[in-house]
Amino acid sequence: DVVLTQTPPTLSATIGQSVSISCRSSQSLLHSNGNTYLNWLLQRPGQPPQLLIYLVSRLESGVPNRFSGSGSGTDFTLKISGVEAEDLGVYYCVQSTHAPFTFGSGTKLEIK
Amino acid sequence: QVQLKESGPGLVQPSETLSLTCTVSGFSLTSNSVHWVRQPPGKGLEWMGIIRSGGSTDYNSALKSRLSISRDTSKSQVFLKMNSLQTEDTAIYYCTRSRYWGQGTLVTVSS
């Protein structure tokens, strides 16, 4: 099974600071159809997760453009350019290139 | 609009079978996949399995011996059945269509 390693496990940021979260895969997430099925989710306290980024870098409708995703193959990054208070929560990467699908262990973002 | 809603027993006895239903609206199960994901209290997300638009399934390697996902397309429902439950199966269980998530249902395994 694919293992996704997320770092750091926790992140503390001030409002307006830019932060990045890394997600590394144990094998390439490039599908034979040419797509890379790596998504980023945010789970706010007490809420179900919400989709932020899909296919590595495509911004989900309604998600602020301070969120961006990049990467290829086995290395992926979520960047928040100018953290806002509403961004606190746990961020997960998830891959659906190889079944069984798998989640990263999560990165908790705290606001200083 | 697209909605998913999980339902099932809140409490299950150890060694018994869990049965959950995900009732969807706003889309067709014959055109979309639905996943089950769970989250133990205070822990991360765990992908459990998927039923695809064509009806095929895939399961988490650690759960596949006791997990089954099926559907009734006429009722727009997806079912999860998992046997031999233990206390570590206590979790919030979500059904999801990737960009759409249900609110989740808490299942507690306890005698």
Side-chain angles (χ1 to χ4, degrees):
Chain A
D1 298 0
V2 173
V3 176
L4 297 180
T5 302
Q6 263 186 258
T7 54
T10 61
L11 204 46
S12 186
T14 55
I15 301 299
Q17 183 180 350
S18 292
V19 299
S20 293
I21 300 169
S22 170
C23 178
R24 289 192 167 174
S25 175
S26 60
Q27 58 184 277
S28 174
L29 298 183
L30 177 63
H31 194 278
S32 57
N33 66 11
N35 289 327
T36 300
Y37 295 96
L38 187 285
N39 296 350
W40 289 95
L41 311 175
L42 164 61
Q43 187 175 31
R44 295 188 172 98
Q47 296 295 315
Q50 68 170 103
L51 181 65
L52 298 176
I53 302 280
Y54 64 99
L55 293 174
V56 179
S57 59
R58 299 189 186 183
L59 195 66
E60 171 66 357
S61 176
V63 173
N65 60 12
R66 62 179 180 273
F67 292 94
S68 62
S70 62
S72 63
T74 60
D75 286 348
F76 303 92
T77 301
L78 175 70
K79 183 176 181 180
I80 310 173
S81 300
V83 166
E84 297 194 4
E86 65 183 20
D87 299 337
L88 74 90
V90 182
Y91 292 80
Y92 296 94
C93 55
V94 55
Q95 69 83 21
S96 53
T97 295
H98 304 289
F101 304 158
T102 45
F103 285 94
S105 54
T107 296
K108 185 175 184 178
L109 176 62
E110 301 170 337
I111 307 298
K112 288 181 186 173
Chain B
Q1 72 275 28
V2 172
Q3 291 187 323
L4 302 93
K5 185 170 184 179
E6 307 87 351
S7 58
L11 180 65
V12 178
Q13 303 275 342
S15 79
E16 294 199 341
T17 296
L18 171 65
S19 294
L20 296 176
T21 299
C22 174
T23 302
V24 309
S25 58
F27 68 95
S28 169
L29 293 175
T30 57
S31 304
N32 295 273
S33 303
V34 171
H35 308 247
W36 286 97
V37 173
R38 69 178 181 176
Q39 184 171 39
K43 296 190 177 180
L45 300 171
E46 179 181 34
W47 185 82
M48 298 183 72
I50 182 175
I51 186 161
R52 294 185 177 82
S53 56
S56 66
T57 54
D58 269 306
Y59 299 111
N60 180 308
S61 299
L63 301 175
K64 66 188 301 181
S65 65
R66 56 192 187 104
L67 178 62
S68 174
I69 297 174
S70 60
R71 69 184 185 182
D72 183 335
T73 56
S74 66
K75 294 184 178 179
S76 294
Q77 292 180 323
V78 177
F79 309 107
L80 177 147
K81 287 193 190 307
M82 189 163 68
N83 59 32
S84 304
L85 254 63
Q86 301 301 319
T87 54
E88 51 266 34
D89 295 311
T90 293
I92 296 174
Y93 287 75
Y94 296 100
C95 57
T96 171
R97 206 200 94 181
S98 292
R99 53 172 47 95
Y100 305 100
W101 289 69
Q103 285 298 307
T105 186
L106 175 62
V107 175
T108 301
V109 182
S110 174
S111 55

